[in-house]
Amino acid sequence: MMASGTPDSQARFGQSVKGLLTEKVNTCGTDVIALTKQVLKGSRSSELLGQAARNMVLQEDAILHSEDARSYSEEVSNPNRGVESQLKQALENYTAAPGSIDIGP
């Protein structure tokens, strides 16, 4: 059995333990709040990162489609462009070396 002290010393010991326990509980509560804020911040960062990645993919698709549309538009607006460039090249080759005509591929 424990040796008992005076009621006054037991009361002071109880108050001391109670104060330390209250301090520990407050510290743990503060740590839980800080942890919760950090988790929420990380979650929000993940959401923003995912949204940015989706936006980049959408922009890349838009750029690719615009390039395809531009190429198609140029082909439709000037269907003889390839023939013209081949004829121009052949003429340049002929003037550079008369007698040899290279029509191209």
Side-chain angles (χ1 to χ4, degrees):
M1 197 159 146
M2 290 181 52
S4 62
T6 63
D8 189 37
S9 66
Q10 287 179 346
R12 280 194 307 253
F13 179 74
Q15 288 295 334
S16 175
V17 169
K18 184 178 177 184
L20 289 173
L21 185 59
T22 302
E23 185 181 324
K24 266 298 193 201
V25 168
N26 287 338
T27 301
C28 287
T30 303
D31 290 347
V32 167
I33 291 170
L35 178 63
T36 303
K37 286 180 181 178
Q38 192 64 38
V39 167
L40 291 175
K41 188 186 294 185
S43 175
R44 182 68 180 142
S45 295
S46 293
E47 289 176 25
L48 292 174
L49 188 59
Q51 186 177 3
R54 284 189 295 274
N55 288 343
M56 286 179 61
V57 168
L58 291 174
Q59 286 178 347
E60 182 182 16
D61 286 344
I63 290 169
L64 291 174
H65 290 314
S66 68
E67 288 176 355
D68 291 343
R70 188 178 136 250
S71 295
Y72 177 75
S73 174
E74 287 176 358
E75 289 175 12
V76 169
S77 66
N78 193 359
N80 296 324
R81 182 179 179 152
V83 173
E84 288 175 1
S85 66
Q86 286 181 355
L87 288 174
K88 187 176 180 180
Q89 183 66 40
L91 182 61
E92 289 173 1
N93 290 343
Y94 178 74
T95 56
S100 64
I101 297 178
D102 182 18
I103 301 294

